[in-house]
Amino acid sequence: MGKTLRDSSKDAAAAATLRLRHAGLRPTRQRVELASLLFKNCDRHVTAESLHDEVTDAGLKVSLATVYNTLHQFTEAGLLRQVIVDSARSYFDTNTGDHQHFFLESEGMLIDIPGESIAVAGVPAPPPGLSVDRVDVVIRVKRA
Amino acid sequence: MGKTLRDSSKDAAAAATLRLRHAGLRPTRQRVELASLLFKNCDRHVTAESLHDEVTDAGLKVSLATVYNTLHQFTEAGLLRQVIVDSARSYFDTNTGDHQHFFLESEGMLIDIPGESIAVAGVPAPPPGLSVDRVDVVIRVKRA
DNA sequence: AACGGGATTAGAACTATTCTAAACTGTGAG
DNA sequence: CTCACAGTTTAGAATAGTTCTAATCCCGTT
């Protein structure tokens, strides 16, 4: 028989707990709740503010400071990736694989572009003493 | 005969004044001083703070608010280009042509990469209703 | 020289983010 | 099962970068 809503919520929590343990993070209530929201569905892009609103709207109580802490810890642990496209706010991406982004600045919207589809050629060697850490491509788009 | 230091300073100011008029900006003392610093030498990358320090160290008096206003007006007028690589501060680039950047985050240093040398292939068509505004490539580097 | 509108300014205000210090809680030992 | 403690959370203060405000100033025209 199908699972009830409560079951799937429990499942998400259980999965989140596992994921946290794997990452070496203690599965506190707040971290489990945030991880459940972040990783339940498909790839997502959030800001601290948007995630805080979301968790609050869900009737859960997590402070904004904890949302910031958690986003950074998750990023540190490789569960999230920070996307820098706007000098006003930070975005975090649940897709940590190789990919790039469309960015619609007027609406703060990010859209993934699979890594395989984009190729960057002709990158010169970095100046002596420096090594390449990552290549970021941002396709800035606007409403046609 | 060679020009004196005072002459070349005057030249820079005269050139800056012309450049401002061409861009449709009134050549005020502050704008001329900032433009002289920005465009006297080769390509430069500045932040509001760094430019304010520079103009202050030169013994000139320009408020930080004016530096911000001016950077935005220059950008608007196509004299500068804003570079988004850091979610904590804004960089402005005197090179407005087609090019990309190395970014050494730990030192807030930007290095130009000529546009011809880099090619981005395989960019998918943007979602319906959106059009590509610009393609930014940032090569994040670290001390080897 | 006087005028008018844009430009500049100091300082307040604002936004996103980080810090602080106190209260709380998961976890392993007993 | 309970205790203790290190790690976590929290409210609120603090900070950094940037923008706003409203008064003053000055460039270009008359």
Side-chain angles (χ1 to χ4, degrees), chain A residues 43-46 81-85 91-104 109-115 117-118 134-141, chain B residues 120 123-124 126-127 132 134-137:
Chain A
D43 293 337
R44 308 198 47 199
H45 303 96
V46 302
R81 166 175 147 184
Q82 191 166 4
V83 182
I84 297 176
V85 286
Y91 289 83
F92 293 85
D93 191 341
T94 58
N95 178 353
T96 58
D98 169 41
H99 71 287
Q100 306 299 344
H101 296 96
F102 286 116
F103 181 54
L104 179 54
M109 180 167 55
L110 280 167
I111 300 166
D112 282 357
I113 303 174
S117 70
I118 283 199
R134 199 166 100 182
V135 177
D136 285 344
V137 178
V138 177
I139 318 279
R140 293 174 191 279
V141 295
Chain B
V120 179
V123 176
V132 173
R134 201 165 99 182
V135 177
D136 284 344
V137 178

Side-chain angles (χ1 to χ4, degrees), chain B:
Chain B
M1 300 301 112
K3 301 187 169 197
T4 66
L5 244 51
R6 205 221 230 73
D7 281 339
S8 68
S9 166
K10 270 190 198 157
D11 285 354
T17 300
L18 264 183
R19 195 189 286 256
L20 289 172
R21 283 200 201 286
H22 269 246
L25 294 168
R26 214 148 88 174
T28 64
R29 171 179 69 79
Q30 291 85 340
R31 297 214 268 232
V32 170
E33 288 172 358
L34 292 172
S36 295
L37 285 175
L38 285 170
F39 305 116
K40 185 155 41 182
N41 298 315
C42 48
D43 293 337
R44 307 198 48 197
H45 303 97
V46 302
T47 63
E49 208 79 33
S50 80
L51 183 57
H52 184 247
D53 287 354
E54 190 177 340
V55 76
T56 300
D57 290 353
L60 307 171
K61 195 155 166 302
V62 179
S63 76
L64 185 55
T66 296
V67 172
Y68 275 104
N69 289 338
T70 303
L71 286 172
H72 286 139
Q73 290 152 356
F74 283 13
T75 300
E76 191 72 17
L79 266 35
L80 290 177
R81 167 175 147 183
Q82 190 165 4
V83 182
I84 297 176
V85 287
D86 188 326
S87 52
R89 101 194 76 256
S90 277
Y91 289 83
F92 294 84
D93 190 342
T94 59
N95 179 352
T96 57
D98 169 42
H99 71 288
Q100 306 298 344
H101 296 96
F102 286 118
F103 180 55
L104 180 54
E105 183 172 26
S106 61
E107 300 170 32
M109 181 167 55
L110 280 167
I111 300 165
D112 281 357
I113 302 175
E116 320 85 55
S117 71
I118 282 199
V120 179
V123 176
L130 302 180
S131 65
V132 173
D133 195 49
R134 201 165 99 182
V135 177
D136 284 344
V137 178
V138 178
I139 317 279
R140 293 172 191 279
V141 296
K142 53 181 200 283
R143 297 235 90 100

Side-chain angles (χ1 to χ4, degrees), chain A residues 69-82 92:
Chain A
N69 289 339
T70 303
L71 286 172
H72 287 138
Q73 290 153 356
F74 283 11
T75 300
E76 191 72 18
L79 266 34
L80 290 177
R81 166 175 147 184
Q82 191 166 4
F92 293 85

